[in-house]
Amino acid sequence: MSTLSLDKILQSQGIGSRKYCRAVIADGLVSIKGDPVLDWSLCFETEELRFSIDGREWQFHAKLYIVMNKPEACECSRKPSHHRSVLSLLPEEFINRDVQPVGRLDHDTTGLLLLSDDGKFIHAQSSPKKHLPKTYQATLARPCTPELVQALLEGVQLIDEDAPIRALSCAQTGELELELCIDQGKYHQVKRMIAAAGNHCAGLCRSAIGGLTLDTLGLAAGEWRLLTAEELALLAPY
Ligand code: URA
C-alpha cells in the first residue's frame, strides 16, 4: 500500500514534470471517480487508482510490464540508426518513465519482446544465470536436414566463444522451417548458430519466452499490451 500526493502520482505515471502536473490539476483537468480534483497536495492510495486527465482514462501502475509482438524493420535501441525504435510504438508517457526493451531482438527479427521500467525485472529476465528458455521459429535459406538439427543439438562452435553452444531443443517444422530453443542471449546467437551449422537464417521470430507464448497473446505485429499477473508468473522469477 502506498499513498502519494496527486502531483507525485501524475509525475510517476510519466505525465510530465511536477510543475506541469500541478498546472494540469489546477486547471481542473484531472478527475477521480468523475470529480475534478483541484488541490495537487491531496493524497490518494495508489493501488488500483483510476483517474482521468482531460477525459482520458488512466490506471496507476507502480511499474510497467509490457509485451509486444515486435514487427520487422524496428530496432530495440533507444537511438536507432537505420529503422524506427520499438519505443516509438509505445505512448509518450511510457517513454517518460524510461521503459526499455528487455534484451534485444535484431531489426529483422519479429515476435515476443518484453519491455519494462522495472530495473530488477529487466536484470532478472536478461540474466544469463536464470537460463530462461527462449524459443525461435527460423526460416532457412536452404532446406532443413536431420544433420542440421543434429548439429544444433550437439553444439556448434561460434567465433569468440570458448566452447560449442547447443540448442536446448531443436526440431524441423517444415521444409525450410526450424524451431529451436536456447537459454543464453548471445549476440545474433540463433543466426550465428544456424550459419555455423552450415545453413543461413533468412527469417526469425521469437515465439516463446519461458512459458509465455506469442500465439496465446492475440497481438498482431506492432501491437502491445500490459502483461497480466498470470503471464508475469510464466517468466523468470525475480
Ligand atoms: N538470435 C538472433 O540471431 N537474433 C535475434 O534477434 C535473436 C536471437
Side-chain angles (χ1 to χ4, degrees):
M1 292 285 198
S2 161
T3 303
L4 283 177
S5 57
L6 190 55
D7 60 338
K8 287 189 183 166
I9 289 176
L10 262 51
Q11 189 187 20
S12 73
Q13 301 305 286
I15 306 302
S17 66
R18 187 89 64 85
K19 190 174 165 197
Y20 174 80
C21 293
R22 286 182 183 182
V24 172
I25 296 165
D27 283 347
L29 295 174
V30 181
S31 299
I32 296 183
K33 293 190 181 143
D35 296 323
V37 182
L38 294 162
D39 181 353
W40 56 259
S41 68
L42 278 183
C43 289
F44 294 89
E45 169 54 50
T46 54
E47 202 173 308
E48 314 243 318
L49 179 70
R50 289 175 180 275
F51 53 94
S52 70
I53 305 177
D54 204 10
R56 184 170 162 202
E57 294 296 325
W58 288 87
Q59 166 146 22
F60 180 90
H61 293 287
K63 295 287 176 197
L64 293 169
Y65 305 98
I66 301 159
V67 61
M68 179 185 284
N69 182 356
K70 180 191 169 296
E72 260 190 278
C74 261
E75 294 182 29
C76 286
S77 164
R78 273 183 162 274
K79 292 187 181 150
S81 38
H82 298 295
H83 304 275
R84 65 191 169 148
S85 167
V86 287
L87 296 172
S88 70
L89 300 171
L90 298 177
E92 189 189 332
E93 292 79 7
F94 287 13
I95 313 305
N96 295 342
R97 291 181 63 160
D98 208 18
V99 163
Q100 298 172 30
V102 179
R104 293 198 172 187
L105 290 177
D106 299 334
H107 73 87
D108 52 355
T109 300
T110 61
L112 266 186
L113 179 68
L114 303 175
L115 303 104
S116 179
D117 60 351
D118 180 346
K120 279 191 192 154
F121 174 79
I122 294 175
H123 178 75
Q125 299 305 316
S126 23
S127 165
K129 288 187 195 141
K130 300 273 179 180
H131 294 290
L132 184 65
K134 298 184 177 95
T135 306
Y136 293 86
Q137 310 297 324
T139 303
L140 304 172
R142 294 179 289 283
C144 189
T145 60
E147 292 75 24
L148 179 79
V149 173
Q150 195 58 28
L152 291 166
L153 284 170
E154 282 174 5
V156 287
Q157 185 63 50
L158 302 183
I159 293 166
D160 292 340
E161 292 299 331
D162 295 338
I165 296 193
R166 64 172 70 120
L168 289 181
S169 66
C170 180
Q172 180 170 358
T173 50
E175 196 198 345
L176 292 172
E177 313 293 327
L178 188 70
E179 175 178 291
L180 96 170
C181 182
I182 55 173
D183 65 354
Q184 306 109 317
K186 298 184 188 296
Y187 182 65
H188 292 328
Q189 184 171 336
V190 174
K191 292 177 185 167
R192 287 162 68 215
M193 285 175 73
I194 290 172
N199 205 310
H200 173 77
C201 181
L204 194 59
C205 174
R206 182 152 71 188
S207 55
I209 301 176
L212 187 69
T213 51
L214 181 63
D215 56 6
T216 58
L217 294 172
L219 294 174
E223 287 184 344
W224 61 270
R225 67 170 169 78
L226 299 182
L227 286 165
T228 63
E230 292 73 27
E231 288 164 348
L232 264 176
L234 299 170
L235 301 167
Y238 72 103

